[in-house]
Amino acid sequence: MIKLYGTAMSRSARCLWALEELGLQYEHVPTAVADAKKPEHLKINPAGHIPALDDNGTVLFESMAINLYLAAKYGKAPFWPETHEDRGRAAQWSFWVMTEVEPHLITMLRQRLLNPPAQRDEKAAQQAAEALKGPLKMLNDHLAGREWILGKDFTIADLNVASVMSFAMLVKLDMSATPAVQGWLQKGLSREANKKVRAMK
Ligand SMILES: N[C@@H](CCC(=O)N[C@@H](CS)C(=O)NCC(=O)O)C(=O)O
């Protein structure tokens, strides 16, 4: 049995989305963010974070690694691309969004939503929004003339990038200067598999 640890109100949502897109049977253990450092969870993920995956004894952490693993093991083309070149591109976009986009969106989340109101710093949120302009423009240029990141089909690259970019909706990031990103994100997040995850605990 596949087990996915982590509440859907966290980065675990992206792995739940991948499991749903792949149509896999799995058990969802909605470990809370606050429980990620508890001894029982540290046995599963010594890094003390959610999500974590247990695929019949193969235990993995890091959301993007989990998703690339699931897609490679259980996915078919086009979701898991057929060629090594497109698989490389899927990894590229996944690492890009994790390293160049997610840290700024997390800053915005903290400063606009997660921190107690008295500890929020709107200036830091605005600096993060400013830092996102370059990456967003780059993605916008890439999407021009393409339906999805790798071309005409929705793939694991779209899922991984859109799952991070979904934080932009929560923090009300102004994306009006990047309409291709806006349209692509709406389309990706409207998929049934993602809507199902959004209704989970
Ligand atoms: N890079 C990791 C980050 C995981 C992460 O920081 N998860 C947060 C929840 S979204 C967490 O576990 N926080 C609890 C803690 O750090 O104690 C991934 O993508 O899986």
Side-chain angles (χ1 to χ4, degrees):
M1 177 56 118
I2 297 176
K3 274 190 183 183
L4 194 280
Y5 295 85
T7 166
M9 261 82 79
S10 74
R11 289 175 176 92
S12 310
R14 61 189 64 156
C15 301
L16 292 165
W17 185 4
L19 287 161
E20 290 293 333
E21 288 286 353
L22 289 162
L24 294 169
Q25 293 273 337
Y26 64 94
E27 182 188 338
H28 178 211
V29 183
T31 309
V33 174
D35 292 341
K37 301 264 187 302
K38 288 201 170 156
E40 59 268 32
H41 186 71
L42 288 173
K43 281 188 211 146
I44 300 156
N45 180 1
H49 296 305
I50 51 170
L53 177 84
D54 182 346
D55 178 8
N56 295 290
T58 299
V59 181
L60 291 176
F61 52 88
E62 281 300 327
S63 56
M64 293 292 159
I66 291 171
N67 278 4
L68 291 168
Y69 164 83
L70 288 172
K73 183 167 178 185
Y74 297 109
K76 295 191 188 79
F79 183 67
W80 176 241
E82 210 134 40
T83 66
H84 289 297
E85 289 74 13
D86 275 343
R87 290 175 188 176
R89 290 181 189 107
Q92 165 197 283
W93 284 104
S94 305
F95 297 164
W96 171 80
V97 81
M98 276 273 274
T99 55
E100 302 209 22
V101 175
E102 190 173 64
H104 301 302
L105 286 174
I106 294 287
T107 297
M108 294 187 79
L109 268 175
R110 291 212 172 102
Q111 303 308 338
R112 287 194 174 162
L113 285 174
L114 301 179
N115 286 355
Q119 289 165 33
R120 290 182 194 166
D121 179 351
E122 180 52 27
K123 197 163 164 226
Q126 280 170 16
Q127 279 167 352
E130 196 56 36
L132 282 166
K133 283 185 179 164
L136 280 185
K137 182 177 180 321
M138 194 269 252
L139 179 58
N140 199 67
D141 291 349
H142 176 80
L143 285 168
R146 287 185 178 88
E147 257 182 79
W148 297 103
I149 288 180
L150 299 188
K152 63 179 178 34
D153 297 299
F154 177 83
T155 68
I156 187 66
D158 298 287
L159 189 156
N160 283 347
V161 177
S163 63
V164 171
M165 293 288 302
S166 68
F167 295 153
M169 318 296 277
L170 297 175
V171 300
K172 303 203 184 329
L173 180 70
D174 177 10
M175 291 192 286
S176 55
T178 53
V181 173
Q182 267 183 320
W184 159 86
L185 186 57
Q186 283 298 346
K187 196 169 54 165
L189 298 180
S190 309
R191 291 177 68 85
E192 285 309 314
N194 184 50
K195 285 201 255 174
K196 192 170 167 193
V197 173
R198 296 292 149 194
M200 289 180 185
K201 275 204 282 182

